[in-house]
Amino acid sequence: MFTRSGEWAIISRHRVIVTYLKSLKFRILLVLLIMGWIPMILMAYSLLGSYQERAVAVRETEVQNQCRILSNQLVSYDYLRAPSSELIGGELAQLSNLYDGRIIIIDQNFKVVKDTYGLIENKLVVSEEVIRCFRGETSTRLSNNRFLEMTVPIQETDSQRIIGVILISVSTDNIRDNVDVLTGNAWIFLFTYGLVILALSIFLSHFLVRPVRRLVTALQNIADGHSSEDLNVRNYTETARISEEFNKIVTQMRVLDESRQEFVSNVSHELKTPLTSMKVLADSLLVQEEVPLELYQEFMGDIAEEIERENKIITDLLALVKMDKKAANLNIEPVDINDLMELILKRLRPIAARKNIEMVLESFRPVTAEVDAGRLTQAFSNLVENAIKYNKENGWVHVSLDADHKFFYVKIIDSGMGIPEESIDYIFERFYRVDKSHSSEIDGTGLGLAIVKSAILVHKGAIKVSSQIGEGTTFSVRIPLNYIA
């Protein structure tokens, strides 16, 4: 039964997911539309612009050719001196009508010999274009995007001397009309094409978002606890990779969650057992009126052992919390690692002696490093103590210390029961116990190796493990000689 806040949390999450899907679908739709429309619009404008430029260029070439022919005829008929030739007049009128334009013939005195409009005949025309044409420089310009104005020289056949100028203005209205018709057709095509692209984009956006919607729905179900199945959305390479990576994370989280639940159960049991034992011992003493001294001392000794056991569990928990604070509270100072390792083995030899385990320390050279002696002592003590606890009777533990110019190396090798291959990836996780069947026989809370890893990582070091079932385990530790802040 959901609480009111839980219901609102699920509703809020659902709204966020729906909003995300709508946003994703809209973005995909927008991208598809942009990819479809913009190239077509640019291509249409490019083609229309190219057509207009090409049409104007073709018209310019045609008019220049006609004007050169006309120029030769004007020279042949000596039209500039005697502008009475009906043949030339007819050709001028025909050419003017053909291009819906105006032709002006100017002699070398800048006098207008002929104007097809009949407006400025016998008048002087002195303009920059005309002067430049007499110098041999022809000009062409498009005026108001409606008229193509050109100057063509009239040259004598023999001497190539310029004796006059043809000033012609040609209308480009028919080109503009053609462009307008093509533009209208282009807009009709673009509108039709746009509708097709819109429909196709809506379909594709829905189709492309569908796997993402399945992915998000599956994630929501898993997050809400309604599904325990692995994520499996493999429509695309990306969704397949997301599914694989998410399944890996979920698997790790499930293992960690199971370890935590087991830890809570174990610690609850471990904390409760000493208390129960102490209460039973204390009650036994209280119900007896005259307790013999020997029995009293025995019970008090048992109570002291249970208190020590309780203290060990609490100490490990506090140590792990302290390790989580990382470098903030490190007490870094130069430490003789050789002396530190000898001290650790000296403290643990009595424990090893109970199982007749031989302990050997091999130091290859003097080693001094900048470390937190307290944390490293606890880390190496845990490793050596584990090598003793999980060893066999009459076994051995070999500890070696070496260094180079940058790191020092510690190896702890034992002849114990070994670690299963499937457990090696998890032994440094908090609350994880490898040998669950012997958890009641072998003292420990499953926090030791987590403490070890935290202590080594906070020194910017590394730890590796290799093991064979029934043959033993090797822990290899590497730590910088100089602390890296």
Side-chain angles (χ1 to χ4, degrees), residues 132-248:
R132 289 173 61 187
C133 190
F134 273 111
R135 294 175 181 173
E137 301 177 11
T138 59
S139 62
T140 303
R141 69 187 182 93
L142 190 61
S143 177
N144 297 327
N145 203 29
R146 293 189 60 190
F147 296 98
L148 185 63
E149 297 179 351
M150 303 170 58
T151 57
V152 179
I154 304 173
Q155 295 177 311
E156 291 182 341
T157 306
D158 298 330
S159 62
Q160 297 297 314
R161 185 171 65 91
I162 298 176
I163 59 176
V165 173
I166 299 175
L167 181 61
I168 183 170
S169 176
V170 178
S171 173
T172 59
D173 286 346
N174 60 339
I175 296 177
R176 292 180 59 205
D177 292 341
N178 291 337
V179 171
D180 290 341
V181 172
L182 290 176
T183 301
N185 293 336
W187 277 113
I188 293 174
F189 170 77
L190 287 176
F191 179 76
T192 305
Y193 176 81
L195 292 178
V196 174
I197 288 294
L198 179 61
L200 185 61
S201 299
I202 293 174
F203 171 76
L204 286 177
S205 63
H206 177 76
F207 179 78
L208 293 174
V209 169
R210 187 166 56 185
V212 180
R213 182 183 292 109
R214 288 181 55 203
L215 187 67
V216 174
T217 302
L219 290 174
Q220 183 184 11
N221 291 335
I222 293 173
D224 292 339
H226 301 315
S227 175
S228 59
E229 298 180 358
D230 288 342
L231 200 60
N232 188 22
V233 181
R234 301 187 177 276
N235 299 71
Y236 308 130
T237 303
E238 292 76 9
T239 56
R241 290 187 61 184
I242 291 174
S243 299
E244 292 174 0
E245 295 302 321
F246 182 80
N247 290 335
K248 290 179 183 178

Side-chain angles (χ1 to χ4, degrees), residues 9 12 34 100 105 108 114 119 219 303 410 434 449 451 455 465:
S12 177
I34 291 174
D100 191 19
I105 308 297
Q108 59 187 350
K114 179 65 176 178
L119 299 177
L219 290 174
I303 291 175
V410 175
V434 174
L449 289 180
I451 294 172
V465 58

